[in-house]
mmCIF file of all heavy atoms in Angstrom:
data_model
loop_
_atom_site.group_PDB
_atom_site.id
_atom_site.type_symbol
_atom_site.label_atom_id
_atom_site.label_comp_id
_atom_site.label_asym_id
_atom_site.label_seq_id
_atom_site.Cartn_x
_atom_site.Cartn_y
_atom_site.Cartn_z
ATOM 1 N N VAL A 188 178.980 108.473 -14.220
ATOM 2 C CA VAL A 188 180.007 108.665 -13.195
ATOM 3 C C VAL A 188 181.284 107.955 -13.609
ATOM 4 O O VAL A 188 181.311 107.200 -14.579
ATOM 5 C CB VAL A 188 179.536 108.140 -11.816
ATOM 6 C CG1 VAL A 188 178.279 108.880 -11.345
ATOM 7 C CG2 VAL A 188 179.286 106.626 -11.876
ATOM 8 N N ARG A 189 182.356 108.181 -12.856
ATOM 9 C CA ARG A 189 183.590 107.468 -13.098
ATOM 10 C C ARG A 189 183.427 106.007 -12.616
ATOM 11 O O ARG A 189 182.653 105.741 -11.697
ATOM 12 C CB ARG A 189 184.743 108.148 -12.376
ATOM 13 C CG ARG A 189 185.078 109.536 -12.949
ATOM 14 C CD ARG A 189 186.225 110.190 -12.184
ATOM 15 N NE ARG A 189 185.847 110.554 -10.829
ATOM 16 C CZ ARG A 189 185.270 111.703 -10.487
ATOM 17 N NH1 ARG A 189 184.991 112.612 -11.415
ATOM 18 N NH2 ARG A 189 184.972 111.943 -9.220
ATOM 19 N N THR A 190 184.157 105.121 -13.207
ATOM 20 C CA THR A 190 183.989 103.688 -12.879
ATOM 21 C C THR A 190 184.378 103.363 -11.442
ATOM 22 O O THR A 190 183.898 102.360 -10.906
ATOM 23 C CB THR A 190 184.844 102.814 -13.840
ATOM 24 O OG1 THR A 190 186.203 103.286 -13.829
ATOM 25 C CG2 THR A 190 184.299 102.872 -15.249
ATOM 26 N N ASP A 191 185.204 104.177 -10.833
ATOM 27 C CA ASP A 191 185.580 103.902 -9.444
ATOM 28 C C ASP A 191 184.624 104.542 -8.439
ATOM 29 O O ASP A 191 184.845 104.473 -7.225
ATOM 30 C CB ASP A 191 187.005 104.360 -9.161
ATOM 31 C CG ASP A 191 187.209 105.847 -9.397
ATOM 32 O OD1 ASP A 191 186.242 106.520 -9.820
ATOM 33 O OD2 ASP A 191 188.343 106.343 -9.152
ATOM 34 N N GLU A 192 183.552 105.170 -8.936
ATOM 35 C CA GLU A 192 182.566 105.815 -8.065
ATOM 36 C C GLU A 192 181.661 104.773 -7.425
ATOM 37 O O GLU A 192 181.057 103.943 -8.111
ATOM 38 C CB GLU A 192 181.733 106.810 -8.871
ATOM 39 C CG GLU A 192 180.605 107.477 -8.084
ATOM 40 C CD GLU A 192 181.121 108.319 -6.961
ATOM 41 O OE1 GLU A 192 181.780 109.353 -7.252
ATOM 42 O OE2 GLU A 192 180.882 107.944 -5.797
ATOM 43 N N THR A 193 181.557 104.788 -6.086
ATOM 44 C CA THR A 193 180.704 103.824 -5.385
ATOM 45 C C THR A 193 179.604 104.487 -4.582
ATOM 46 O O THR A 193 178.681 103.826 -4.112
ATOM 47 C CB THR A 193 181.545 102.944 -4.438
ATOM 48 O OG1 THR A 193 182.239 103.778 -3.493
ATOM 49 C CG2 THR A 193 182.546 102.107 -5.228
ATOM 50 N N ASP A 194 179.691 105.806 -4.418
ATOM 51 C CA ASP A 194 178.726 106.507 -3.558
ATOM 52 C C ASP A 194 177.495 106.993 -4.307
ATOM 53 O O ASP A 194 176.498 107.356 -3.653
ATOM 54 C CB ASP A 194 179.404 107.715 -2.894
ATOM 55 C CG ASP A 194 180.484 107.313 -1.901
ATOM 56 O OD1 ASP A 194 180.395 106.182 -1.394
ATOM 57 O OD2 ASP A 194 181.407 108.119 -1.670
ATOM 58 N N ILE A 195 177.546 107.036 -5.635
ATOM 59 C CA ILE A 195 176.400 107.525 -6.395
ATOM 60 C C ILE A 195 175.782 106.360 -7.165
ATOM 61 O O ILE A 195 176.376 105.805 -8.087
ATOM 62 C CB ILE A 195 176.841 108.637 -7.399
ATOM 63 C CG1 ILE A 195 177.462 109.822 -6.632
ATOM 64 C CG2 ILE A 195 175.649 109.088 -8.230
ATOM 65 C CD1 ILE A 195 178.008 110.909 -7.539
ATOM 66 N N ASN A 196 174.555 106.027 -6.770
ATOM 67 C CA ASN A 196 173.822 104.941 -7.416
ATOM 68 C C ASN A 196 172.453 105.395 -7.912
ATOM 69 O O ASN A 196 171.629 104.574 -8.327
ATOM 70 C CB ASN A 196 173.661 103.768 -6.455
ATOM 71 C CG ASN A 196 175.013 103.171 -6.063
ATOM 72 O OD1 ASN A 196 175.706 102.606 -6.893
ATOM 73 N ND2 ASN A 196 175.387 103.340 -4.792
ATOM 74 N N ASP A 200 171.433 110.109 -4.231
ATOM 75 C CA ASP A 200 172.775 110.188 -3.654
ATOM 76 C C ASP A 200 173.534 111.461 -4.048
ATOM 77 O O ASP A 200 174.753 111.531 -3.884
ATOM 78 C CB ASP A 200 173.610 108.979 -4.097
ATOM 79 C CG ASP A 200 172.985 107.655 -3.666
ATOM 80 O OD1 ASP A 200 172.423 107.592 -2.568
ATOM 81 O OD2 ASP A 200 173.073 106.691 -4.449
ATOM 82 N N LYS A 267 180.851 104.988 -16.433
ATOM 83 C CA LYS A 267 179.743 104.030 -16.338
ATOM 84 C C LYS A 267 178.462 104.779 -16.018
ATOM 85 O O LYS A 267 178.494 105.921 -15.508
ATOM 86 C CB LYS A 267 180.008 102.997 -15.244
ATOM 87 C CG LYS A 267 180.031 103.578 -13.836
ATOM 88 C CD LYS A 267 180.278 102.515 -12.787
ATOM 89 C CE LYS A 267 180.257 103.125 -11.362
ATOM 90 N NZ LYS A 267 180.483 102.110 -10.303
#
Side-chain angles (χ1 to χ4, degrees):
V188 299
R189 293 179 291 273
T190 52
D191 59 358
E192 176 64 66
T193 58
D194 294 335
I195 300 176
N196 297 293
D200 301 324
K267 66 179 182 179

